[in-house]
Amino acid sequence: MAAEQPSIEEVASLGKRKRDRRLMVESLIVLTMLGGFIFMLVESVDWPLGAALFPRISGALGIPAVLAYAAQRLFQELRPGAQSQGRLLDIGWAEFGGEKKDTRSRSITFVATTGGLWIGIWLVGFHIAVPVYVMFMLTVHGRVRWYWAAAATAGFYGLIIGVYDELLHTSWNDPLVFDLVRSLRPDV
């Protein structure tokens, strides 16, 4: 005896519930990002310019980007025929027709590489972690030729040295690895 097939209404209802759940998760992520960017701006108001420059620029650029993404998603929900190929901040969480494996892979890659950047900054500092991250992302995920990736990496390193070190005299975190090496060195 064959199992009874679900009706069209049951399949449609299940699809709608899954879609609603995904939209709720996406909304939570968007609100969290918006809150983070607003926090960056508010928290850095009283900081000296050298320390406040990064959070102020990130917040000032991030807020409009997140709002544009939210407006775009709202427009797509109100007018389903207005779907686009790609979107701002598109990492695949909002793709309903794609393969689950691809969506999961892109999401894990995004979280892992961002987490790797943060851990790299904590362990070896901005001067090493940011250029390594840029080179890695461009060559591995962007499939950019190594010499173009190296040029972009050199540009980022030049920005760190020229603007933040020389112009603004930014104080950086003391990387954990460097502190460990200093603690192992006998005092001279």
Side-chain angles (χ1 to χ4, degrees):
M1 179 159 94
E4 186 176 317
Q5 294 292 324
S7 70
I8 293 174
E9 292 83 17
E10 291 172 332
V11 171
S13 174
L14 179 63
K16 185 177 178 344
R17 282 197 308 265
K18 280 185 176 182
R19 185 168 183 262
D20 289 346
R21 215 177 12 229
R22 288 179 182 161
L23 282 173
M24 291 298 293
V25 170
E26 186 177 9
S27 297
L28 180 65
I29 291 168
V30 166
L31 288 173
T32 302
M33 289 174 64
L34 186 61
F37 288 129
I38 291 170
F39 176 78
M40 288 172 146
L41 283 178
V42 171
E43 190 65 26
S44 66
V45 165
D46 297 327
W47 295 3
L49 180 62
L53 190 60
F54 179 74
R56 287 180 189 169
I57 291 172
S58 297
L61 295 175
I63 290 170
V66 171
L67 291 175
Y69 176 79
Q72 188 177 36
R73 288 294 291 135
L74 181 63
F75 179 72
Q76 288 174 344
E77 288 303 312
L78 295 175
R79 299 182 122 184
Q83 297 291 330
S84 64
Q85 290 292 334
R87 296 187 307 270
L88 284 173
L89 307 176
D90 186 10
I91 58 171
W93 286 330
E95 295 295 323
F96 298 114
E99 292 286 325
K100 271 188 172 181
K101 188 171 87 170
D102 292 339
T103 302
R104 187 175 297 122
S105 173
R106 285 192 304 256
S107 301
I108 290 170
T109 299
F110 172 75
V111 170
T113 56
T114 303
L117 174 63
W118 292 344
I119 291 170
I121 290 169
W122 175 59
L123 289 174
V124 295
F126 281 90
H127 292 80
I128 296 172
V130 170
V132 167
Y133 175 79
V134 169
M135 186 75 174
F136 175 78
M137 291 302 286
L138 287 174
T139 55
V140 174
H141 294 289
R143 295 185 182 102
V144 173
R145 295 183 189 267
W146 71 268
Y147 46 86
W148 292 117
T153 301
F156 270 89
Y157 189 69
L159 181 72
I160 290 171
I161 298 294
V163 173
Y164 289 99
D165 284 350
E166 298 301 322
L167 184 64
L168 297 173
H169 304 290
T170 303
S171 58
W172 301 97
N173 66 312
D174 287 332
L176 185 67
V177 170
F178 295 174
D179 285 344
L180 179 66
V181 168
R182 271 189 230 115
S183 70
L184 296 175
R185 211 172 51 184
D187 290 320
V188 178

